[in-house]
Amino acid sequence: MTKSKVYFTKEITSESLIKIYEALNTELKGKVAVKISTGEPGGHNFLDPSLIKPLIDKLQGTIVECNTAYEGRRNTTEEHWKAIEEHGFTKIAPCDIMDEDGEIELPAPNGKQIHKNYVGSHIKNYDSMLILSHFKGHAMGGFGGALKNMSIGIASSHGKAYIHGAGVPENIWTADHDSFLEAMADADASVINYFKEENLAYINVANKLSIDCDCDANPHDPEMADLGIYASLDPVALDQACYDAVKNSPDPGKASLIERMDSRNAIHTVEQAYAEGLGNREYEIVDIG
């Protein structure tokens, strides 16, 4: 199999974000959704609105999110809208909570753990999507990148519990761990099948590299320096490259993030996504400066 291209720049600026998107040499057509994490209030590591605004403007995109499945400030539409506004996203672009009016079911016929995925019903309003992720650690998944943002992130509140519980929402926090990781890959397959590969693109911003996710209201402070921005049309290669970049960094502060990733077997979602044909774990880094 030919290696997938993963584009990289160490510069984390609005200009470099546009430059790396353009390097993908793709066109997201029609009405474009930009999937980000709007960040749990109290946390402060989510993507800066001023950083992402010029790229969203270029795409004439709409920021999309879904409600959470845990207690917090984003598990109801009313509170989530307040959080989106407080974090400055409504000031930079149109925003949409995709499960505000319910959910739809996407098939995942070849899934290992789940054979359907529940996503926000407003997904039907979009023709293409940029999965714009803040790469960082995660208390359960080990790390959060493109694959997590596309699975858990696009799932409705109920759909998040369904994935976490590997098909049994009531087991949201108690399901077999590797089964949860595999269910994320199954959900990814359903989204890729829905949009089709040519209507998806992926960017991971590897900054503020906390061991904790943006869904954490009290995240641990980052212990290692920013890495840069990575982008690809292959979400498997992209997450593999970011995982490898943390592992191979000369920064001794990487130890806690590596421990977080490996103690949760985080790479298993990448392994399962590869097994389901969603991308390639072999990649070539193209440094765009």
Side-chain angles (χ1 to χ4, degrees):
M1 185 184 289
T2 307
K3 292 182 179 181
S4 294
K5 284 186 167 58
V6 175
Y7 297 89
F8 168 73
T9 175
K10 66 179 180 180
E11 300 295 329
I12 303 177
T13 64
S14 295
E15 293 76 17
S16 62
L17 201 52
I18 290 175
K19 185 179 178 183
I20 205 166
Y21 171 76
E22 291 175 340
L24 293 173
N25 195 28
T26 191
E27 181 187 356
L28 294 177
K29 300 180 180 68
K31 189 167 184 184
V32 180
V34 179
K35 174 64 187 73
I36 66 166
S37 169
T38 50
E40 190 64 27
H44 45 269
N45 294 326
F46 54 84
L47 293 176
D48 190 316
S50 63
L51 173 69
I52 65 177
K53 181 184 188 304
L55 177 57
I56 297 174
D57 286 347
K58 176 182 173 65
L59 298 173
Q60 296 182 303
T62 299
I63 290 172
V64 301
E65 252 284 38
C66 284
N67 291 321
T68 62
Y70 56 85
E71 293 296 321
R73 286 277 317 282
R74 296 186 300 149
N75 66 336
T76 67
T77 296
E78 181 181 8
E79 287 300 305
H80 197 168
W81 273 119
K82 292 177 186 176
I84 291 171
E85 184 172 359
E86 288 170 15
H87 288 169
F89 293 112
T90 55
K91 294 182 179 68
I92 67 162
C95 296
D96 181 8
I97 298 175
M98 290 195 295
D99 61 339
E100 182 169 10
D101 298 309
E103 63 188 18
I104 62 170
E105 183 181 309
L106 300 184
N110 300 316
K112 184 172 182 181
Q113 296 294 336
I114 58 175
H115 300 288
K116 54 190 175 182
N117 181 29
Y118 299 98
V119 301
S121 64
H122 292 182
I123 197 172
K124 296 181 292 185
N125 299 335
Y126 302 97
D127 303 298
S128 58
M129 184 176 283
L130 172 64
I131 307 293
L132 179 56
S133 311
H134 171 218
F135 187 86
K136 69 285 172 188
H138 188 272
M140 289 191 70
F143 71 75
L147 293 170
K148 181 177 180 296
N149 196 11
M150 183 163 53
S151 56
I152 295 292
I154 293 173
S156 64
S157 181
H158 160 248
K160 287 175 170 62
Y162 189 81
I163 295 169
H164 267 281
V168 184
E170 296 76 19
N171 292 348
I172 179 171
W173 309 127
T174 58
D176 172 73
H177 186 69
D178 280 1
S179 298
F180 152 57
L181 299 175
E182 291 161 1
M184 283 202 287
D186 297 340
D188 286 320
S190 76
V191 173
I192 292 173
N193 184 59
Y194 175 80
F195 276 113
K196 308 307 179 191
E197 288 183 3
E198 63 269 22
N199 297 312
L200 289 160
Y202 311 88
I203 299 176
N204 284 355
V205 180
N207 70 341
K208 300 180 181 177
L209 289 155
S210 171
I211 61 172
D212 293 319
C213 180
D214 299 338
C215 59
D216 193 321
N218 297 287
H220 197 286
D221 287 336
E223 295 179 51
M224 67 179 294
D226 297 348
L227 292 172
I229 304 175
Y230 298 79
S232 185
L233 299 179
D234 179 339
V236 177
L238 180 58
D239 277 3
Q240 181 74 59
C242 291
Y243 173 86
D244 290 345
V246 173
K247 288 256 178 164
N248 296 330
S249 169
D251 188 339
K254 68 183 181 180
S256 61
L257 182 51
I258 291 174
E259 192 279 333
R260 172 60 56 91
M261 296 192 302
D262 290 354
S263 66
R264 271 66 168 182
N265 197 21
I267 200 63
H268 190 53
T269 302
V270 175
E271 293 170 342
Q272 184 60 32
Y274 169 72
E276 294 187 27
L278 306 186
N280 188 2
R281 296 183 69 189
E282 296 290 323
Y283 60 88
E284 171 193 355
I285 293 287
V286 180
D287 192 334
I288 64 168

